[in-house]
Amino acid sequence: MGSWPLRLGHAWSALGRHTATVLHRWQRLHPQMPLQLLRTDDSLAGLAQGRVDAVILRGPVPATGIHSTVLFHEERNAALSVHNGLAERTEITLADLAGQTVIMDIVSGTTSLRLWPPERQPRGIAEVGNTDDWLAAIAADQGFGVTTTATADVYPYPGVTYRPLTDAPPYLSVSLGPSRPAIPRSRISPSSFARPLRLGSGGEIGEVIIMEGVLSRLLVGG
């Protein structure tokens, strides 16, 4: 391996509660190649512009011609102001949120009105352009947000609380790389790194083949 960094992009929340574990294990297994985590407010987290070598995204892949692999599923949470009456509940449903304003990150967010049936939609949409402004709007009780458990892990925020959204479909967390990878396979690791992904509590989802399965190995703890 060379000394150049492997640039792993993300738009928000990186790998959630697994982020520090992956960075630590990468450093131990591949000390000659730093893993550089880069956040970019962009639907492809900087991949299209060549700012990164691979990315972590959530939801459907918003482009063609790139290789993608599902890493894991994440449950959805509602992000609420502590002043919102629903914040007193331990869990809520999509119907509970209907009639309130939804805060949407229109640059890199994945929430859409398609989550709700046409007859039971949020009252309106307030648009923001990044995670920081999304959290500030929610804390100010300008509306609610829908996100993943990873955001609750990574972004504790004064005035914001997260509650399980029991009837919303889970997110897919996806690892992406260009169709002609910028990462020479011979510099990463043998294909024996590819292993089924298991996250400790029964979670699974196939095999990670991006970067010869390195992310899978790191998440598993090998």
Side-chain angles (χ1 to χ4, degrees), residues 80-88 100 138-143 158-161:
L80 304 166
S81 166
V82 294
H83 303 293
N84 190 311
L86 294 175
E88 299 177 359
Q100 299 191 28
I138 294 169
D141 204 16
Q142 297 172 6
V160 174
T161 188

Side-chain angles (χ1 to χ4, degrees), residues 3-219:
S3 60
W4 49 272
L6 176 62
R7 304 166 301 169
L8 182 62
H10 69 106
W12 45 273
S13 297
L15 287 162
R17 63 186 176 87
H18 305 291
T19 303
T21 299
V22 167
L23 292 174
H24 176 75
R25 289 175 179 162
W26 179 279
Q27 182 176 322
R28 175 169 54 84
L29 292 170
H30 307 289
Q32 305 94 329
M33 182 187 291
L35 180 61
Q36 184 178 11
L37 195 64
L38 296 172
R39 177 188 147 188
T40 301
D41 292 317
D42 173 70
S43 62
L44 277 174
L47 186 66
Q49 297 88 352
R51 298 174 185 166
V52 295
D53 303 301
V55 297
I56 305 297
L57 294 182
R58 289 169 172 84
V61 178
T64 59
I66 53 178
H67 178 82
S68 65
T69 301
V70 175
L71 290 176
F72 48 79
H73 298 83
E74 294 173 325
E75 298 302 318
R76 295 188 196 237
N77 277 3
L80 304 166
S81 166
V82 294
H83 303 293
N84 190 311
L86 294 175
E88 299 177 359
R89 303 188 185 184
T90 57
E91 57 185 36
I92 60 178
T93 66
L94 289 168
D96 294 329
L97 297 168
Q100 299 191 28
T101 297
V102 57
I103 311 293
M104 288 189 184
D105 179 350
I106 61 172
V107 175
S108 60
T110 58
T111 298
S112 77
L113 293 179
R114 291 191 296 272
L115 280 173
W116 289 268
E119 70 279 3
R120 192 75 169 145
Q121 298 246 320
R123 179 177 60 202
I125 299 173
E127 297 180 348
V128 297
N130 57 62
T131 303
D132 292 340
D133 292 347
W134 180 83
L135 286 164
I138 294 169
D141 204 16
Q142 297 172 6
F144 69 88
V146 175
T147 187
T148 78
T149 51
T151 303
D153 292 332
V154 175
Y155 291 105
Y157 194 89
V160 174
T161 188
Y162 299 92
R163 294 291 181 266
L165 199 51
T166 58
D167 59 345
Y171 278 88
L172 299 180
S173 184
V174 180
S175 174
L176 303 176
S179 56
R180 299 178 64 183
I183 309 164
R185 290 177 179 270
S186 61
R187 293 199 178 192
I188 297 297
S189 186
S191 58
S192 60
F193 268 16
R195 295 164 49 183
L197 178 62
R198 302 193 181 280
L199 299 179
S201 59
E204 55 75 35
I205 26 171
E207 294 188 353
V208 178
I209 54 177
I210 287 285
M211 296 187 291
E212 294 288 353
V214 170
L215 286 180
S216 177
R217 180 182 174 94
L218 294 175
L219 286 163

